[in-house]
Amino acid sequence: MRPSNVPDTRGLFISFEGIDGGGKSTQMVRLVARLRELGRHVVESAEPGGSRISRRIREVLLDPATPELSPTTEILLYFAARAQNVDELIRPGVASGAIIISDRFTDSTLAYQGSGRGLGEELVRQLDRIACRGVKPDLTLCLDIDLATSAARAKKRDRLEEEPDQFRALVRDAYHRMAAAEPDRFRLIDASGTPDEVEQLVWEAVAPHV
Ligand code: TMP
């Protein structure tokens, strides 16, 4: 239950995005802690992951032992995991007035599959309409680092982190286009600084919304 000194606002849906190695997980943990200190009810989600079923789908998606996973199967699995999170975590969370913080959402699929894999924006939008039914982040924080930093920081721990530099470049360009197209919602955060500096930039973007 929310303390009585905290105003009763509608729920808020925030997503984190970015190419691999940008420090998303660290910043999410810090933001969640800060919001909870303010007495806000925070629900965490992750893609692929977040809910029990989505975590099982994640195992299939990111298993390096199955390189034959086709691009079409891959995109459908990402959306299957997302549909479960929308129904189980995000819709009920927003309805109850919580702040939902999701590690990635449809913008990842636009960037990685739509642009990186060349499946195209329209296919991603069609699947989004089926899986998310209008659920979209109110605010997206994209942790932006240059390609060399991304390659150096990303550990070789799953299929996508083994993608070549050209793939990373397509993904990063797609994120930059989203920031230009929707500047109010989609914020590029310079993630080249220290974790404390990046946390400050994240907070400046979030504070007006909470
Ligand atoms: P993570 O390391 O941020 O948990 O993300 C796992 C990988 O999955 C990351 O390389 C990005 C990728 N991914 C996609 O390709 N498409 C998607 O829709 C999502 C959510 C993630």
Side-chain angles (χ1 to χ4, degrees):
M1 181 146 8
R2 190 179 281 147
S4 56
N5 60 337
V6 176
D8 190 17
T9 54
R10 80 169 266 278
L12 184 70
F13 178 21
I14 299 175
S15 62
F16 274 83
E17 292 286 348
I19 56 173
D20 300 277
K24 228 168 6 81
S25 313
T26 306
Q27 293 302 327
M28 265 191 65
V29 168
R30 288 180 177 216
L31 179 61
V32 168
R34 199 158 181 167
L35 290 167
R36 286 188 176 142
E37 275 165 27
L38 290 175
R40 301 302 304 263
H41 178 216
V42 180
V43 175
E44 293 174 75
S45 186
E47 307 226 343
S51 59
R52 219 154 46 119
I53 288 172
S54 301
R55 275 195 295 278
R56 290 176 73 171
I57 297 172
R58 180 184 176 97
E59 287 168 21
V60 176
L61 275 163
L62 301 181
D63 183 354
T66 51
E68 72 276 23
L69 185 73
S70 84
T72 307
T73 310
E74 182 187 50
I75 196 170
L76 289 171
L77 286 174
Y78 276 118
F79 271 109
R82 184 162 304 136
Q84 183 67 32
N85 289 350
V86 164
D87 289 343
E88 189 180 324
L89 300 172
I90 302 173
R91 263 184 204 285
V94 169
S96 75
I99 299 178
I100 318 300
I101 303 204
S102 181
D103 187 345
R104 301 190 179 280
F105 200 67
T106 297
D107 297 318
S108 279
T109 321
L110 283 165
Y112 283 80
Q113 280 66 47
S115 185
R117 297 241 187 274
L119 295 181
E121 181 176 341
E122 191 39 41
L123 173 66
V124 181
R125 300 254 180 238
Q126 280 176 3
L127 294 172
D128 179 81
R129 280 192 283 277
I130 296 167
C132 307
R133 285 154 292 128
V135 169
K136 183 178 177 176
D138 300 299
L139 178 67
T140 297
L141 307 164
C142 181
L143 300 190
D144 190 41
I145 49 168
D146 62 43
L147 295 173
T149 311
S150 170
R153 284 190 194 166
K155 291 174 228 98
K156 291 209 176 287
R157 66 183 160 91
D158 63 38
R159 182 196 315 280
L160 282 143
E161 287 177 2
E162 288 165 9
E163 295 293 348
D165 290 349
Q166 188 198 359
F167 183 86
R168 284 177 207 282
L170 288 170
V171 172
R172 185 166 185 260
D173 287 351
Y175 280 135
H176 282 236
R177 285 198 300 278
M178 290 175 207
E182 289 183 83
D184 286 343
R185 174 183 74 90
F186 195 100
R187 305 289 177 76
L188 282 182
I189 306 280
D190 177 1
S192 62
T194 65
D196 286 351
E197 287 164 350
V198 180
E199 181 183 349
Q200 183 55 30
L201 296 175
V202 166
W203 186 245
E204 282 167 17
V206 172
H209 295 263
V210 297

